[in-house]
Amino acid sequence: MTNYPKADADIFLSHMPDVARCELSLRELNQMWRLIESSAKMNCPAEARLLLPAMVATRTGFAHLEQALV
């Protein structure tokens, strides 16, 4: 673990509320993806079969991006 001077730590800590808000927004967006997937499965299963692999890949890629950003 790298030791940062106290001033650097204070700078990081001052941004944590923004990071927490962004993390919540990203989590909510991920939930919306899941809701869309579920709705597609229930309402138009034939079409969903074609679209779901792309949606799952997008959601998975988005989750990786979310982890990297946070």
Short mmCIF file of all heavy atoms in Angstrom, two decimals:
data_model
loop_
_atom_site.label_atom_id
_atom_site.label_comp_id
_atom_site.label_asym_id
_atom_site.label_seq_id
_atom_site.Cartn_x
_atom_site.Cartn_y
_atom_site.Cartn_z
N MET A 1 0.84 -1.17 0.00
CA MET A 1 0.00 0.00 0.00
C MET A 1 0.88 1.23 0.00
O MET A 1 1.87 1.31 0.70
CB MET A 1 -0.91 -0.01 1.22
CG MET A 1 -1.92 1.09 1.22
SD MET A 1 -3.22 0.73 2.39
CE MET A 1 -3.16 2.21 3.33
N THR A 2 0.55 2.20 -0.81
CA THR A 2 1.33 3.42 -0.92
C THR A 2 0.89 4.40 0.16
O THR A 2 -0.29 4.57 0.42
CB THR A 2 1.11 4.07 -2.29
OG1 THR A 2 1.41 3.11 -3.28
CG2 THR A 2 1.98 5.28 -2.45
N ASN A 3 1.87 5.04 0.78
CA ASN A 3 1.55 6.06 1.78
C ASN A 3 1.51 7.42 1.11
O ASN A 3 2.47 7.83 0.47
CB ASN A 3 2.60 6.07 2.89
CG ASN A 3 2.54 4.82 3.73
OD1 ASN A 3 1.47 4.28 3.96
ND2 ASN A 3 3.68 4.35 4.20
N TYR A 4 0.38 8.08 1.23
CA TYR A 4 0.23 9.42 0.68
C TYR A 4 0.32 10.43 1.81
O TYR A 4 -0.11 10.16 2.93
CB TYR A 4 -1.14 9.57 0.00
CG TYR A 4 -1.29 8.71 -1.22
CD1 TYR A 4 -2.02 7.54 -1.18
CD2 TYR A 4 -0.71 9.08 -2.43
CE1 TYR A 4 -2.17 6.74 -2.31
CE2 TYR A 4 -0.84 8.30 -3.56
CZ TYR A 4 -1.57 7.13 -3.50
OH TYR A 4 -1.70 6.36 -4.61
N PRO A 5 0.88 11.59 1.53
CA PRO A 5 0.88 12.65 2.56
C PRO A 5 -0.55 12.98 2.96
O PRO A 5 -1.49 12.78 2.21
CB PRO A 5 1.53 13.83 1.85
CG PRO A 5 2.27 13.26 0.69
CD PRO A 5 1.54 12.01 0.32
N LYS A 6 -0.72 13.47 4.17
CA LYS A 6 -2.05 13.78 4.69
C LYS A 6 -2.81 14.71 3.76
O LYS A 6 -4.01 14.54 3.55
CB LYS A 6 -1.96 14.38 6.08
CG LYS A 6 -3.34 14.68 6.66
CD LYS A 6 -3.31 14.93 8.12
CE LYS A 6 -4.61 15.31 8.74
NZ LYS A 6 -5.83 14.99 8.12
N ALA A 7 -2.15 15.67 3.18
CA ALA A 7 -2.82 16.61 2.28
C ALA A 7 -3.43 15.87 1.09
O ALA A 7 -4.56 16.17 0.68
CB ALA A 7 -1.85 17.68 1.80
N ASP A 8 -2.73 14.88 0.54
CA ASP A 8 -3.26 14.10 -0.58
C ASP A 8 -4.48 13.30 -0.13
O ASP A 8 -5.46 13.19 -0.86
CB ASP A 8 -2.21 13.17 -1.15
CG ASP A 8 -1.13 13.91 -1.94
OD1 ASP A 8 -1.35 15.09 -2.28
OD2 ASP A 8 -0.08 13.30 -2.20
N ALA A 9 -4.40 12.72 1.06
CA ALA A 9 -5.54 11.95 1.58
C ALA A 9 -6.75 12.85 1.76
O ALA A 9 -7.88 12.45 1.44
CB ALA A 9 -5.17 11.29 2.90
N ASP A 10 -6.55 14.05 2.23
CA ASP A 10 -7.65 14.99 2.40
C ASP A 10 -8.30 15.33 1.07
O ASP A 10 -9.53 15.46 0.98
CB ASP A 10 -7.18 16.28 3.09
CG ASP A 10 -6.83 16.06 4.56
OD1 ASP A 10 -7.29 15.04 5.14
OD2 ASP A 10 -6.10 16.89 5.11
N ILE A 11 -7.49 15.45 0.03
CA ILE A 11 -8.03 15.74 -1.30
C ILE A 11 -8.90 14.58 -1.76
O ILE A 11 -10.02 14.77 -2.24
CB ILE A 11 -6.89 16.01 -2.31
CG1 ILE A 11 -6.21 17.35 -1.97
CG2 ILE A 11 -7.42 16.03 -3.73
CD1 ILE A 11 -4.93 17.60 -2.74
N PHE A 12 -8.39 13.34 -1.60
CA PHE A 12 -9.18 12.16 -1.98
C PHE A 12 -10.47 12.09 -1.19
O PHE A 12 -11.54 11.86 -1.74
CB PHE A 12 -8.39 10.87 -1.77
CG PHE A 12 -7.25 10.69 -2.74
CD1 PHE A 12 -5.98 10.40 -2.28
CD2 PHE A 12 -7.44 10.80 -4.10
CE1 PHE A 12 -4.92 10.23 -3.16
CE2 PHE A 12 -6.40 10.63 -5.00
CZ PHE A 12 -5.14 10.35 -4.53
N LEU A 13 -10.37 12.27 0.11
CA LEU A 13 -11.55 12.17 0.97
C LEU A 13 -12.59 13.22 0.64
O LEU A 13 -13.79 12.95 0.75
CB LEU A 13 -11.14 12.26 2.44
CG LEU A 13 -10.37 11.06 2.98
CD1 LEU A 13 -9.90 11.31 4.41
CD2 LEU A 13 -11.21 9.80 2.90
N SER A 14 -12.17 14.37 0.21
CA SER A 14 -13.13 15.42 -0.12
C SER A 14 -13.99 15.04 -1.32
O SER A 14 -15.08 15.57 -1.50
CB SER A 14 -12.43 16.76 -0.35
OG SER A 14 -11.70 16.73 -1.58
N HIS A 15 -13.50 14.12 -2.14
CA HIS A 15 -14.24 13.70 -3.34
C HIS A 15 -15.10 12.45 -3.11
O HIS A 15 -15.86 12.05 -4.00
CB HIS A 15 -13.28 13.44 -4.49
CG HIS A 15 -12.60 14.68 -4.98
ND1 HIS A 15 -13.26 15.64 -5.70
CD2 HIS A 15 -11.33 15.12 -4.82
CE1 HIS A 15 -12.41 16.62 -5.99
NE2 HIS A 15 -11.24 16.33 -5.46
N MET A 16 -15.00 11.84 -1.95
CA MET A 16 -15.72 10.59 -1.69
C MET A 16 -17.24 10.74 -1.79
O MET A 16 -17.89 9.83 -2.31
CB MET A 16 -15.32 10.00 -0.34
CG MET A 16 -13.90 9.44 -0.34
SD MET A 16 -13.55 8.30 -1.72
CE MET A 16 -14.63 6.96 -1.34
N PRO A 17 -17.85 11.84 -1.33
CA PRO A 17 -19.30 11.95 -1.52
C PRO A 17 -19.70 11.92 -3.00
O PRO A 17 -20.71 11.31 -3.36
CB PRO A 17 -19.65 13.30 -0.88
CG PRO A 17 -18.58 13.51 0.14
CD PRO A 17 -17.33 12.93 -0.49
N ASP A 18 -18.89 12.54 -3.85
CA ASP A 18 -19.17 12.51 -5.30
C ASP A 18 -19.02 11.09 -5.84
O ASP A 18 -19.83 10.64 -6.66
CB ASP A 18 -18.22 13.44 -6.06
CG ASP A 18 -18.46 14.91 -5.72
OD1 ASP A 18 -19.61 15.26 -5.40
OD2 ASP A 18 -17.50 15.68 -5.77
N VAL A 19 -18.00 10.38 -5.38
CA VAL A 19 -17.79 9.00 -5.82
C VAL A 19 -18.97 8.14 -5.38
O VAL A 19 -19.48 7.33 -6.16
CB VAL A 19 -16.46 8.44 -5.26
CG1 VAL A 19 -16.33 6.95 -5.51
CG2 VAL A 19 -15.28 9.19 -5.85
N ALA A 20 -19.42 8.32 -4.16
CA ALA A 20 -20.56 7.54 -3.65
C ALA A 20 -21.82 7.83 -4.46
O ALA A 20 -22.58 6.90 -4.79
CB ALA A 20 -20.80 7.85 -2.17
N ARG A 21 -22.05 9.09 -4.83
CA ARG A 21 -23.22 9.43 -5.66
C ARG A 21 -23.12 8.80 -7.03
O ARG A 21 -24.10 8.25 -7.55
CB ARG A 21 -23.36 10.95 -5.79
CG ARG A 21 -24.17 11.59 -4.70
CD ARG A 21 -24.54 13.03 -5.03
NE ARG A 21 -23.39 13.88 -5.32
CZ ARG A 21 -22.64 14.47 -4.40
NH1 ARG A 21 -22.91 14.30 -3.12
NH2 ARG A 21 -21.62 15.23 -4.75
N CYS A 22 -21.95 8.85 -7.61
CA CYS A 22 -21.76 8.24 -8.93
C CYS A 22 -21.93 6.72 -8.86
O CYS A 22 -22.53 6.12 -9.74
CB CYS A 22 -20.38 8.59 -9.49
SG CYS A 22 -20.22 10.31 -9.97
N GLU A 23 -21.42 6.12 -7.81
CA GLU A 23 -21.55 4.67 -7.65
C GLU A 23 -23.03 4.29 -7.54
O GLU A 23 -23.47 3.31 -8.15
CB GLU A 23 -20.80 4.21 -6.40
CG GLU A 23 -20.81 2.72 -6.21
CD GLU A 23 -19.97 2.28 -5.01
OE1 GLU A 23 -19.71 3.10 -4.12
OE2 GLU A 23 -19.60 1.10 -4.98
N LEU A 24 -23.80 5.07 -6.80
CA LEU A 24 -25.24 4.81 -6.69
C LEU A 24 -25.93 4.95 -8.04
O LEU A 24 -26.75 4.11 -8.42
CB LEU A 24 -25.87 5.76 -5.67
CG LEU A 24 -27.38 5.62 -5.47
CD1 LEU A 24 -27.74 4.23 -4.97
CD2 LEU A 24 -27.87 6.69 -4.51
N SER A 25 -25.57 5.98 -8.79
CA SER A 25 -26.16 6.17 -10.12
C SER A 25 -25.83 5.01 -11.04
O SER A 25 -26.69 4.52 -11.78
CB SER A 25 -25.66 7.48 -10.75
OG SER A 25 -26.14 8.58 -10.03
N LEU A 26 -24.60 4.55 -11.00
CA LEU A 26 -24.19 3.42 -11.83
C LEU A 26 -24.92 2.15 -11.42
O LEU A 26 -25.35 1.36 -12.27
CB LEU A 26 -22.68 3.22 -11.76
CG LEU A 26 -21.84 4.32 -12.39
CD1 LEU A 26 -20.37 4.15 -12.02
CD2 LEU A 26 -22.01 4.34 -13.90
N ARG A 27 -25.11 1.96 -10.13
CA ARG A 27 -25.83 0.78 -9.64
C ARG A 27 -27.29 0.83 -10.10
O ARG A 27 -27.85 -0.19 -10.53
CB ARG A 27 -25.76 0.71 -8.11
CG ARG A 27 -26.27 -0.61 -7.55
CD ARG A 27 -26.09 -0.73 -6.05
NE ARG A 27 -24.73 -0.44 -5.62
CZ ARG A 27 -24.44 0.49 -4.70
NH1 ARG A 27 -25.38 1.19 -4.13
NH2 ARG A 27 -23.19 0.70 -4.36
N GLU A 28 -27.90 2.00 -10.04
CA GLU A 28 -29.28 2.15 -10.50
C GLU A 28 -29.39 1.88 -12.00
O GLU A 28 -30.36 1.26 -12.45
CB GLU A 28 -29.81 3.53 -10.16
CG GLU A 28 -30.05 3.74 -8.67
CD GLU A 28 -30.38 5.18 -8.32
OE1 GLU A 28 -30.28 6.07 -9.18
OE2 GLU A 28 -30.74 5.40 -7.14
N LEU A 29 -28.42 2.33 -12.75
CA LEU A 29 -28.42 2.08 -14.18
C LEU A 29 -28.30 0.58 -14.47
O LEU A 29 -28.99 0.04 -15.34
CB LEU A 29 -27.28 2.85 -14.85
CG LEU A 29 -27.25 2.87 -16.36
CD1 LEU A 29 -28.55 3.40 -16.94
CD2 LEU A 29 -26.09 3.72 -16.84
N ASN A 30 -27.48 -0.11 -13.71
CA ASN A 30 -27.34 -1.56 -13.86
C ASN A 30 -28.67 -2.25 -13.56
O ASN A 30 -29.07 -3.19 -14.25
CB ASN A 30 -26.24 -2.09 -12.95
CG ASN A 30 -25.90 -3.53 -13.23
OD1 ASN A 30 -26.14 -4.05 -14.31
ND2 ASN A 30 -25.32 -4.18 -12.25
N GLN A 31 -29.38 -1.78 -12.54
CA GLN A 31 -30.69 -2.34 -12.22
C GLN A 31 -31.68 -2.11 -13.36
O GLN A 31 -32.51 -2.98 -13.65
CB GLN A 31 -31.23 -1.75 -10.92
CG GLN A 31 -30.48 -2.24 -9.70
CD GLN A 31 -30.91 -1.53 -8.43
OE1 GLN A 31 -31.52 -0.47 -8.46
NE2 GLN A 31 -30.58 -2.13 -7.29
N MET A 32 -31.59 -0.96 -14.00
CA MET A 32 -32.47 -0.70 -15.14
C MET A 32 -32.19 -1.66 -16.28
O MET A 32 -33.11 -2.14 -16.94
CB MET A 32 -32.33 0.75 -15.60
CG MET A 32 -32.91 1.77 -14.64
SD MET A 32 -34.64 1.50 -14.27
CE MET A 32 -35.37 1.72 -15.87
N TRP A 33 -30.92 -1.95 -16.54
CA TRP A 33 -30.57 -2.93 -17.57
C TRP A 33 -31.22 -4.27 -17.26
O TRP A 33 -31.79 -4.93 -18.14
CB TRP A 33 -29.05 -3.12 -17.66
CG TRP A 33 -28.37 -2.14 -18.55
CD1 TRP A 33 -27.59 -1.10 -18.16
CD2 TRP A 33 -28.41 -2.08 -19.98
NE1 TRP A 33 -27.13 -0.41 -19.26
CE2 TRP A 33 -27.62 -1.00 -20.39
CE3 TRP A 33 -29.03 -2.86 -20.95
CZ2 TRP A 33 -27.44 -0.66 -21.72
CZ3 TRP A 33 -28.85 -2.52 -22.28
CH2 TRP A 33 -28.06 -1.44 -22.65
N ARG A 34 -31.15 -4.68 -16.01
CA ARG A 34 -31.74 -5.96 -15.60
C ARG A 34 -33.26 -5.93 -15.76
O ARG A 34 -33.86 -6.93 -16.19
CB ARG A 34 -31.36 -6.30 -14.16
CG ARG A 34 -29.90 -6.67 -14.02
CD ARG A 34 -29.58 -7.10 -12.58
NE ARG A 34 -28.19 -7.38 -12.43
CZ ARG A 34 -27.62 -8.55 -12.70
NH1 ARG A 34 -28.32 -9.52 -13.19
NH2 ARG A 34 -26.32 -8.71 -12.52
N LEU A 35 -33.87 -4.82 -15.44
CA LEU A 35 -35.32 -4.68 -15.60
C LEU A 35 -35.71 -4.77 -17.07
O LEU A 35 -36.68 -5.45 -17.43
CB LEU A 35 -35.80 -3.35 -15.00
CG LEU A 35 -37.29 -3.06 -15.11
CD1 LEU A 35 -38.10 -4.10 -14.34
CD2 LEU A 35 -37.58 -1.66 -14.58
N ILE A 36 -34.95 -4.13 -17.92
CA ILE A 36 -35.21 -4.18 -19.36
C ILE A 36 -35.07 -5.62 -19.86
O ILE A 36 -35.91 -6.10 -20.64
CB ILE A 36 -34.28 -3.23 -20.13
CG1 ILE A 36 -34.64 -1.78 -19.81
CG2 ILE A 36 -34.34 -3.49 -21.63
CD1 ILE A 36 -33.61 -0.76 -20.26
N GLU A 37 -34.03 -6.31 -19.42
CA GLU A 37 -33.84 -7.70 -19.82
C GLU A 37 -35.03 -8.55 -19.39
O GLU A 37 -35.57 -9.34 -20.18
CB GLU A 37 -32.57 -8.27 -19.19
CG GLU A 37 -31.29 -7.74 -19.79
CD GLU A 37 -30.08 -8.24 -19.03
OE1 GLU A 37 -30.08 -9.41 -18.55
OE2 GLU A 37 -29.11 -7.47 -18.90
N SER A 38 -35.45 -8.40 -18.14
CA SER A 38 -36.58 -9.19 -17.64
C SER A 38 -37.86 -8.87 -18.38
O SER A 38 -38.63 -9.77 -18.73
CB SER A 38 -36.78 -8.91 -16.14
OG SER A 38 -35.65 -9.31 -15.42
N SER A 39 -38.10 -7.59 -18.63
CA SER A 39 -39.30 -7.19 -19.36
C SER A 39 -39.30 -7.76 -20.77
O SER A 39 -40.33 -8.24 -21.26
CB SER A 39 -39.40 -5.67 -19.44
OG SER A 39 -39.55 -5.13 -18.15
N ALA A 40 -38.15 -7.74 -21.41
CA ALA A 40 -38.06 -8.28 -22.77
C ALA A 40 -38.34 -9.78 -22.77
O ALA A 40 -39.05 -10.29 -23.65
CB ALA A 40 -36.68 -7.99 -23.36
N LYS A 41 -37.81 -10.49 -21.78
CA LYS A 41 -38.05 -11.93 -21.69
C LYS A 41 -39.53 -12.25 -21.55
O LYS A 41 -40.03 -13.20 -22.14
CB LYS A 41 -37.29 -12.53 -20.51
CG LYS A 41 -35.81 -12.66 -20.71
CD LYS A 41 -35.17 -13.23 -19.45
CE LYS A 41 -33.67 -13.19 -19.52
NZ LYS A 41 -33.06 -13.67 -18.28
N MET A 42 -40.24 -11.45 -20.75
CA MET A 42 -41.65 -11.71 -20.48
C MET A 42 -42.55 -11.24 -21.61
O MET A 42 -43.51 -11.91 -21.97
CB MET A 42 -42.07 -11.03 -19.18
CG MET A 42 -41.50 -11.66 -17.95
SD MET A 42 -42.14 -10.95 -16.43
CE MET A 42 -41.33 -9.35 -16.44
N ASN A 43 -42.28 -10.09 -22.19
CA ASN A 43 -43.20 -9.47 -23.14
C ASN A 43 -42.99 -9.87 -24.59
O ASN A 43 -43.94 -9.87 -25.37
CB ASN A 43 -43.13 -7.94 -23.01
CG ASN A 43 -43.64 -7.48 -21.67
OD1 ASN A 43 -44.66 -7.95 -21.20
ND2 ASN A 43 -42.92 -6.56 -21.05
N CYS A 44 -41.78 -10.18 -24.95
CA CYS A 44 -41.52 -10.58 -26.34
C CYS A 44 -40.37 -11.58 -26.36
O CYS A 44 -39.26 -11.27 -26.78
CB CYS A 44 -41.23 -9.36 -27.21
SG CYS A 44 -40.03 -8.21 -26.53
N PRO A 45 -40.65 -12.80 -25.88
CA PRO A 45 -39.59 -13.80 -25.74
C PRO A 45 -38.89 -14.16 -27.05
O PRO A 45 -37.68 -14.39 -27.04
CB PRO A 45 -40.29 -15.01 -25.13
CG PRO A 45 -41.74 -14.77 -25.32
CD PRO A 45 -41.94 -13.30 -25.46
N ALA A 46 -39.61 -14.19 -28.14
CA ALA A 46 -38.97 -14.55 -29.41
C ALA A 46 -37.93 -13.51 -29.82
O ALA A 46 -36.80 -13.84 -30.19
CB ALA A 46 -40.01 -14.71 -30.51
N GLU A 47 -38.31 -12.24 -29.74
CA GLU A 47 -37.38 -11.17 -30.08
C GLU A 47 -36.26 -11.06 -29.06
O GLU A 47 -35.11 -10.78 -29.39
CB GLU A 47 -38.11 -9.83 -30.19
CG GLU A 47 -39.10 -9.75 -31.33
CD GLU A 47 -40.48 -10.34 -30.99
OE1 GLU A 47 -40.65 -10.89 -29.89
OE2 GLU A 47 -41.36 -10.25 -31.86
N ALA A 48 -36.61 -11.30 -27.79
CA ALA A 48 -35.62 -11.20 -26.72
C ALA A 48 -34.50 -12.21 -26.91
O ALA A 48 -33.35 -11.91 -26.58
CB ALA A 48 -36.29 -11.40 -25.36
N ARG A 49 -34.83 -13.39 -27.42
CA ARG A 49 -33.80 -14.40 -27.64
C ARG A 49 -32.68 -13.87 -28.52
O ARG A 49 -31.52 -14.21 -28.34
CB ARG A 49 -34.44 -15.63 -28.31
CG ARG A 49 -34.40 -16.85 -27.50
CD ARG A 49 -34.87 -18.12 -28.18
NE ARG A 49 -34.92 -18.12 -29.62
CZ ARG A 49 -36.05 -18.10 -30.35
NH1 ARG A 49 -37.21 -18.04 -29.75
NH2 ARG A 49 -36.01 -18.13 -31.65
N LEU A 50 -33.05 -13.01 -29.47
CA LEU A 50 -32.04 -12.44 -30.37
C LEU A 50 -31.29 -11.27 -29.73
O LEU A 50 -30.11 -11.06 -30.00
CB LEU A 50 -32.69 -11.98 -31.67
CG LEU A 50 -33.40 -13.07 -32.49
CD1 LEU A 50 -34.17 -12.45 -33.65
CD2 LEU A 50 -32.39 -14.09 -32.98
N LEU A 51 -31.98 -10.51 -28.90
CA LEU A 51 -31.40 -9.30 -28.32
C LEU A 51 -30.66 -9.53 -27.01
O LEU A 51 -29.72 -8.80 -26.69
CB LEU A 51 -32.49 -8.26 -28.08
CG LEU A 51 -33.16 -7.69 -29.32
CD1 LEU A 51 -34.31 -6.80 -28.92
CD2 LEU A 51 -32.16 -6.92 -30.16
N LEU A 52 -31.10 -10.51 -26.25
CA LEU A 52 -30.54 -10.68 -24.91
C LEU A 52 -29.03 -10.92 -24.87
O LEU A 52 -28.37 -10.36 -23.99
CB LEU A 52 -31.28 -11.79 -24.16
CG LEU A 52 -32.65 -11.37 -23.64
CD1 LEU A 52 -33.34 -12.54 -22.97
CD2 LEU A 52 -32.54 -10.21 -22.68
N PRO A 53 -28.46 -11.70 -25.77
CA PRO A 53 -26.99 -11.85 -25.69
C PRO A 53 -26.25 -10.50 -25.80
O PRO A 53 -25.29 -10.26 -25.07
CB PRO A 53 -26.67 -12.77 -26.87
CG PRO A 53 -27.92 -13.55 -27.08
CD PRO A 53 -29.04 -12.59 -26.77
N ALA A 54 -26.73 -9.64 -26.66
CA ALA A 54 -26.10 -8.32 -26.80
C ALA A 54 -26.33 -7.47 -25.55
O ALA A 54 -25.43 -6.76 -25.09
CB ALA A 54 -26.63 -7.59 -28.04
N MET A 55 -27.53 -7.56 -24.99
CA MET A 55 -27.83 -6.80 -23.78
C MET A 55 -27.00 -7.29 -22.61
O MET A 55 -26.47 -6.49 -21.82
CB MET A 55 -29.32 -6.89 -23.46
CG MET A 55 -30.20 -6.16 -24.45
SD MET A 55 -31.94 -6.32 -24.06
CE MET A 55 -32.05 -5.30 -22.61
N VAL A 56 -26.86 -8.60 -22.48
CA VAL A 56 -26.05 -9.16 -21.38
C VAL A 56 -24.59 -8.75 -21.56
O VAL A 56 -23.92 -8.37 -20.59
CB VAL A 56 -26.22 -10.69 -21.32
CG1 VAL A 56 -25.21 -11.31 -20.37
CG2 VAL A 56 -27.63 -11.05 -20.91
N ALA A 57 -24.09 -8.82 -22.77
CA ALA A 57 -22.71 -8.41 -23.01
C ALA A 57 -22.50 -6.93 -22.68
O ALA A 57 -21.49 -6.56 -22.09
CB ALA A 57 -22.32 -8.69 -24.47
N THR A 58 -23.47 -6.10 -23.05
CA THR A 58 -23.39 -4.68 -22.74
C THR A 58 -23.42 -4.44 -21.24
O THR A 58 -22.61 -3.68 -20.70
CB THR A 58 -24.55 -3.91 -23.42
OG1 THR A 58 -24.46 -4.12 -24.82
CG2 THR A 58 -24.48 -2.43 -23.11
N ARG A 59 -24.33 -5.12 -20.55
CA ARG A 59 -24.43 -4.96 -19.10
C ARG A 59 -23.16 -5.45 -18.41
O ARG A 59 -22.65 -4.81 -17.49
CB ARG A 59 -25.65 -5.73 -18.56
CG ARG A 59 -25.84 -5.54 -17.06
CD ARG A 59 -27.11 -6.17 -16.55
NE ARG A 59 -27.39 -7.51 -17.02
CZ ARG A 59 -26.82 -8.62 -16.54
NH1 ARG A 59 -25.91 -8.54 -15.60
NH2 ARG A 59 -27.16 -9.80 -17.02
N THR A 60 -22.61 -6.55 -18.88
CA THR A 60 -21.37 -7.08 -18.30
C THR A 60 -20.21 -6.11 -18.52
O THR A 60 -19.44 -5.83 -17.60
CB THR A 60 -21.04 -8.45 -18.91
OG1 THR A 60 -22.14 -9.34 -18.66
CG2 THR A 60 -19.78 -9.04 -18.31
N GLY A 61 -20.10 -5.59 -19.74
CA GLY A 61 -19.06 -4.60 -20.02
C GLY A 61 -19.23 -3.35 -19.18
O GLY A 61 -18.26 -2.78 -18.67
N PHE A 62 -20.47 -2.95 -18.99
CA PHE A 62 -20.77 -1.79 -18.17
C PHE A 62 -20.37 -2.05 -16.71
O PHE A 62 -19.81 -1.17 -16.04
CB PHE A 62 -22.25 -1.45 -18.27
CG PHE A 62 -22.62 -0.20 -17.53
CD1 PHE A 62 -22.36 1.04 -18.06
CD2 PHE A 62 -23.22 -0.29 -16.30
CE1 PHE A 62 -22.69 2.19 -17.38
CE2 PHE A 62 -23.56 0.86 -15.60
CZ PHE A 62 -23.29 2.09 -16.14
N ALA A 63 -20.62 -3.25 -16.22
CA ALA A 63 -20.24 -3.60 -14.84
C ALA A 63 -18.74 -3.53 -14.66
O ALA A 63 -18.24 -3.05 -13.64
CB ALA A 63 -20.78 -4.98 -14.49
N HIS A 64 -17.99 -4.01 -15.67
CA HIS A 64 -16.52 -3.92 -15.60
C HIS A 64 -16.06 -2.46 -15.59
O HIS A 64 -15.15 -2.08 -14.85
CB HIS A 64 -15.87 -4.66 -16.76
CG HIS A 64 -16.03 -6.14 -16.68
ND1 HIS A 64 -15.50 -6.92 -15.67
CD2 HIS A 64 -16.69 -7.00 -17.50
CE1 HIS A 64 -15.81 -8.18 -15.87
NE2 HIS A 64 -16.55 -8.27 -16.97
N LEU A 65 -16.69 -1.65 -16.41
CA LEU A 65 -16.37 -0.23 -16.44
C LEU A 65 -16.69 0.43 -15.11
O LEU A 65 -15.90 1.23 -14.60
CB LEU A 65 -17.14 0.46 -17.58
CG LEU A 65 -16.95 1.95 -17.72
CD1 LEU A 65 -15.50 2.29 -18.02
CD2 LEU A 65 -17.86 2.49 -18.84
N GLU A 66 -17.83 0.07 -14.55
CA GLU A 66 -18.22 0.61 -13.24
C GLU A 66 -17.18 0.30 -12.19
O GLU A 66 -16.74 1.17 -11.43
CB GLU A 66 -19.58 0.02 -12.83
CG GLU A 66 -20.02 0.42 -11.45
CD GLU A 66 -21.29 -0.30 -11.03
OE1 GLU A 66 -21.86 -1.06 -11.82
OE2 GLU A 66 -21.71 -0.08 -9.88
N GLN A 67 -16.71 -0.96 -12.15
CA GLN A 67 -15.70 -1.35 -11.17
C GLN A 67 -14.40 -0.55 -11.37
O GLN A 67 -13.78 -0.11 -10.41
CB GLN A 67 -15.41 -2.84 -11.28
CG GLN A 67 -16.53 -3.70 -10.76
CD GLN A 67 -16.29 -5.18 -10.99
OE1 GLN A 67 -15.41 -5.56 -11.76
NE2 GLN A 67 -17.07 -6.00 -10.34
N ALA A 68 -14.02 -0.37 -12.62
CA ALA A 68 -12.78 0.37 -12.90
C ALA A 68 -12.91 1.83 -12.49
O ALA A 68 -11.97 2.41 -11.95
CB ALA A 68 -12.44 0.26 -14.38
N LEU A 69 -14.07 2.41 -12.74
CA LEU A 69 -14.26 3.82 -12.42
C LEU A 69 -14.32 4.06 -10.93
O LEU A 69 -13.75 5.02 -10.42
CB LEU A 69 -15.54 4.35 -13.07
CG LEU A 69 -15.49 4.50 -14.59
CD1 LEU A 69 -16.87 4.86 -15.12
CD2 LEU A 69 -14.48 5.55 -15.00
N VAL A 70 -15.03 3.20 -10.22
CA VAL A 70 -15.18 3.39 -8.77
C VAL A 70 -13.92 2.96 -8.07
O VAL A 70 -13.41 3.61 -7.21
CB VAL A 70 -16.41 2.62 -8.23
CG1 VAL A 70 -16.49 2.71 -6.73
CG2 VAL A 70 -17.69 3.21 -8.83
#
